[in-house]
Amino acid sequence: MAYASCRSAFLTFLLILLTFLSFSHIEVCEAQAKPPPIVKGLSWSFYDSKCPKLESIIRTELKKIFDKDIGQAAGLLRLHFHDCFVQGCDGSVLLDGSASGPSEKDAPPNLTLRAEAFKIIEKLRSRVEKQCGRIVSCADITAVAARDSVFLSGGPDYKIPLGRRDGLTFATRNVTLQNLPSPSSNTTTILNSLATKNLNPTDVVALSGGHTIGISHCSSFTNRLYPTQDTVMDKTYGKNLKLTCPTSNTDNTTVLDIRSPNKFDNKYYVDLMNRQGLFTSDQDLYTDKRTKDIVTNFAVNQSLFFEKFVAAMLKMGQLNVLTGNQGEIRANCSVRNKDSKSFITSVVDDVVEGFLEM
């Protein structure tokens, strides 16, 4: 009798749970706009005739790199994020500083970008140029490398439009800071910042899922440990973090996702539901009522997360891109081409195009 009663209660609970998830799923789907239109100048088949083996060259090389160190995948994905969020996906984050001032690399949010990630992008550029000539931008290579980093870590595979050109300038320190919210930011700050880039709450939560792979320096989250532990953080999780970061100025690192740190999956959201998000910007997504249900849905439905992540990446990957005769195709990803012909051509073409449209 007791068994039957427990079984009935369990089935009732299960039914309620499935009903809740069903409605929440609908809400997330409705929150996400249709796949973004392709920006003028980009194409799904941009290099099909000019460099048909482009994506094969990049993926083959990355497989070799990740077989030795899968941690580099997170570094390449983060590089693409930090490129696109600042002044668009133009490869400007790759540029070294110059007489005009320090580069985006030198701004505080980018100091922890992996040095090896920059080297990998340049290595890929060199291999592509050897096969196809100098026709593929560093911005495109960075975008493809980010996509392959997701896939080769266990995430979704998807096509991305190509045809980006490399920027001629890098953003200032202040502009970089304004466009890259810190790990201590709350959900309101994150949502407001990314809303300026036409990214909605579902996009924000999906892109945050990139933290399912990678590591962080203690300095990015010790504000949650010292002088006292953040009460939102799981106590045991916090105690373990203090073993890695025994003081507020320790320079050690730890994984972003404690359940599957090297696999691109939905476990990051499970972490958040268990109050084991590393950054304030992560954990607050589950605390804030505007994003809590989205986190829950992604935690129980990995396919849904993958679907929304891809949609958000396609939107982000087209932010303020340069196309056509704008910008240039760099001969070295960290340095603007020496001659100014590309800059002059770009300006003249833009002026001519402006008159033609009048």
Side-chain angles (χ1 to χ4, degrees):
M1 186 74 176
Y3 170 78
S5 177
C6 289
R7 184 171 182 273
S8 176
F10 173 76
L11 290 175
T12 300
F13 168 77
L14 187 61
L15 180 61
I16 293 172
L17 178 62
L18 290 174
T19 301
F20 166 76
L21 292 178
S22 175
F23 278 110
S24 296
H25 176 96
I26 291 172
E27 289 175 3
V28 173
C29 288
E30 291 177 345
Q32 172 65 48
K34 294 179 180 179
I38 304 305
V39 171
K40 181 181 178 182
L42 298 187
S43 167
W44 299 106
S45 55
F46 193 83
Y47 296 110
D48 282 4
S49 60
K50 295 179 286 187
C51 189
K53 294 184 178 180
L54 167 64
E55 298 191 46
S56 174
I57 294 169
I58 292 177
R59 182 163 293 188
T60 298
E61 185 60 31
L62 288 180
K63 280 182 179 178
K64 296 176 184 177
I65 293 171
F66 296 163
D67 281 345
K68 296 178 180 178
D69 183 6
I70 189 61
Q72 297 302 332
L76 291 168
L77 178 59
R78 189 169 177 233
L79 194 62
H80 182 46
F81 274 58
H82 282 227
D83 183 31
C84 294
F85 282 152
V86 177
Q87 63 178 25
C89 312
D90 64 350
S92 59
V93 73
L94 306 172
L95 289 170
D96 289 335
S98 66
S100 64
S103 68
E104 290 175 33
K105 291 180 185 179
D106 301 317
N110 291 331
L111 294 176
T112 55
L113 289 174
R114 296 193 184 209
E116 189 62 26
F118 294 98
K119 295 177 183 177
I120 291 172
I121 294 299
E122 178 57 26
K123 183 177 182 180
L124 293 173
R125 185 209 61 77
S126 179
R127 287 189 177 276
V128 169
E129 181 175 330
K130 188 175 181 181
Q131 284 278 338
C132 306
R134 179 150 56 98
I135 61 170
V136 182
S137 68
C138 298
D140 268 350
I141 290 172
T142 302
V144 174
R147 186 275 312 276
D148 284 356
S149 294
V150 169
F151 174 65
L152 295 174
S153 297
D157 196 5
Y158 53 98
K159 287 183 65 64
I160 57 175
L162 299 171
R164 299 166 188 77
R165 303 269 292 181
D166 295 322
L168 300 170
T169 61
F170 46 75
T172 63
R173 174 192 173 100
N174 285 340
V175 170
T176 303
L177 285 168
Q178 290 167 9
N179 286 278
L180 293 173
S182 75
S184 61
S185 301
N186 61 23
T187 298
T188 295
T189 299
I190 301 292
L191 291 180
N192 289 343
S193 175
L194 298 193
T196 64
K197 306 178 194 308
N198 198 32
L199 295 169
N200 62 40
T202 301
D203 297 325
V204 172
V205 178
L207 291 174
S208 296
H211 285 172
T212 186
I213 55 176
I215 59 175
S216 169
H217 289 262
C218 292
S219 57
S220 294
F221 59 85
T222 47
N223 65 299
R224 301 189 68 202
L225 300 177
Y226 305 105
T228 58
Q229 185 175 315
D230 185 342
T231 56
V232 176
M233 181 183 285
D234 175 75
K235 290 184 178 180
T236 301
Y237 179 55
K239 288 179 181 178
N240 290 335
L241 287 176
K242 287 181 179 180
L243 295 177
T244 302
C245 310
T247 65
S248 61
N249 59 357
T250 307
D251 193 34
N252 293 333
T253 60
T254 190
V255 297
L256 294 171
D257 173 4
I258 62 171
R259 284 173 168 76
S260 53
N262 293 319
K263 184 178 181 182
F264 195 97
D265 55 21
N266 67 335
K267 296 299 185 292
Y268 160 81
Y269 301 103
V270 177
D271 295 338
L272 301 190
M273 292 184 71
N274 285 278
R275 298 187 297 129
Q276 296 165 334
L278 189 61
F279 303 148
T280 300
S281 59
D282 291 323
Q283 191 59 56
D284 203 46
L285 293 174
Y286 189 63
T287 304
D288 194 294
K289 63 182 181 180
R290 292 168 293 180
T291 50
K292 183 174 183 177
D293 286 349
I294 305 173
V295 169
T296 301
N297 276 278
F298 289 168
V300 300
N301 190 336
Q302 181 166 278
S303 295
L304 179 65
F305 162 49
F306 283 1
E307 174 191 332
K308 300 308 178 186
F309 179 80
V310 169
M313 285 292 284
L314 290 176
K315 289 173 73 172
M316 185 194 77
Q318 298 184 72
L319 289 173
N320 298 325
V321 294
L322 303 176
T323 61
N325 290 314
Q326 297 173 317
E328 64 184 8
I329 304 296
R330 289 186 207 137
N332 180 322
C333 288
S334 64
V335 183
R336 216 192 88 180
N337 293 340
K338 291 182 179 180
D339 63 85
S340 57
K341 181 180 178 181
S342 58
F343 173 73
I344 296 172
T345 301
S346 174
V347 173
V348 171
D349 286 341
D350 286 347
V351 172
V352 172
E353 187 175 339
F355 277 114
L356 292 175
E357 290 179 351
M358 289 178 66

